[in-house]
Structures are given as structure tokens and as C-alpha cells.
Amino acid sequence: MQGPVGFRCRDCGRPAHDPLTSFTPLQLIGGLALATGAGTVAGLLAGRIGFFVIFLAWFGGIFIADLLTRFVGYKQGPVMVGILFGGIALGAAIAFGIETATFVASMEGVPGGFEPFLGQYLVDQGLWAALAAAITAAGAWSRLR
């Protein structure tokens, strides 16, 4: 294999520490926290704007990918993809939980309770959260690759 000082065998030519794909613990934890927080914000916005999430989530994914890439120092590879997609999915799940808790708290004083409305609400919010996470991840992937 060609190296900076000439030809070497594959074992000797392979770097022991690849700076493009290896992460420090701070980069891993901070990157996951950043992606999760941004995914939560994207999920909460999706719950508020509904249909328009189809148009805005793509750009949110691009923004999250740029933010994460700059935070971890322009790293690449499967770990970076895992951090990005895992954070977006975890953030969408957190946003779904927050939206559901807010709905249940707002329906406390309603006669008959919130149970008749809860099933339809969970389906609606679950679909928007899943759609927002998928579109956000697609936008992030378009920027990351």
C-alpha cells in the first residue's frame, strides 16, 4: 500500500489510530446529547406544527447534522451515523413523551376524563413524531454522506 514515505505492507501501512473515525469519550457523550436535544426540539416542533413538518423537518435534519459534525470535529463513519440517528430517534421519543404528558395534564379537569381521547391522540401524535423523525433523519443523511 502507498504511504507517505513509500510502499509498505498492509499491516504496517494501516494507521493505528484513524483520526477521522475514532472518537473521544467527550465527543461520544456530547455528540449524543447534542443530537438527542436537537431531535427533541425537532419532535416538539413537529407536534406543534403538524402537517408542515413534512417541509421543515428535512432542513432540521440538515441543521442537526451540521451542528453535530462541527461539534465532533468533522468525524465520519458508522459511529457518527449511529450517534446522529440514535440521537434523532431518542429525541423524537422524548418529544412524544412530553407531548403525551402535556395532553394528559391538560385534560385532568375534563368531565369523563381523557381516556376517550387518548387513543386517537396517541395515534395522531405518534404518526407525526415518527414522520418527523424519519424526515429529519433523511435530511441529516443527505448532509452527512
Coordinates of all heavy atoms in Angstrom, one line a residue, residues 15 35 46 59 68 94:
P15 N -2.9 3.0 9.7 CA -2.6 3.8 10.9 C -3.3 3.1 12.1 O -4.3 2.5 12.1 CB -3.3 5.1 10.6 CG -4.3 4.8 9.5 CD -3.7 3.7 8.8
A35 N -27.3 15.6 19.7 CA -28.3 15.0 18.7 C -29.6 14.7 19.4 O -30.7 14.9 18.8 CB -27.7 13.8 18.1
A46 N -42.6 19.4 15.6 CA -43.4 18.6 14.8 C -44.8 18.4 15.4 O -45.8 18.4 14.7 CB -42.8 17.2 14.5
F59 N -35.0 20.2 6.6 CA -34.0 21.3 6.9 C -33.5 21.2 8.4 O -32.4 21.5 8.7 CB -34.6 22.6 6.6 CG -34.9 22.8 5.2 CD1 -36.2 22.8 4.8 CD2 -33.9 22.9 4.2 CE1 -36.6 22.9 3.4 CE2 -34.3 23.0 2.9 CZ -35.6 23.0 2.5
L68 N -23.8 18.7 14.7 CA -23.1 17.5 15.2 C -21.7 17.4 14.6 O -20.8 17.1 15.3 CB -24.0 16.3 15.1 CG -23.3 15.0 15.7 CD1 -23.2 15.1 17.2 CD2 -24.2 13.8 15.3
I94 N -38.5 11.2 23.2 CA -38.7 12.1 24.4 C -39.7 13.1 24.1 O -40.6 13.4 24.9 CB -37.3 12.7 24.7 CG1 -36.4 11.7 25.3 CG2 -37.5 13.9 25.7 CD1 -34.9 12.1 25.4

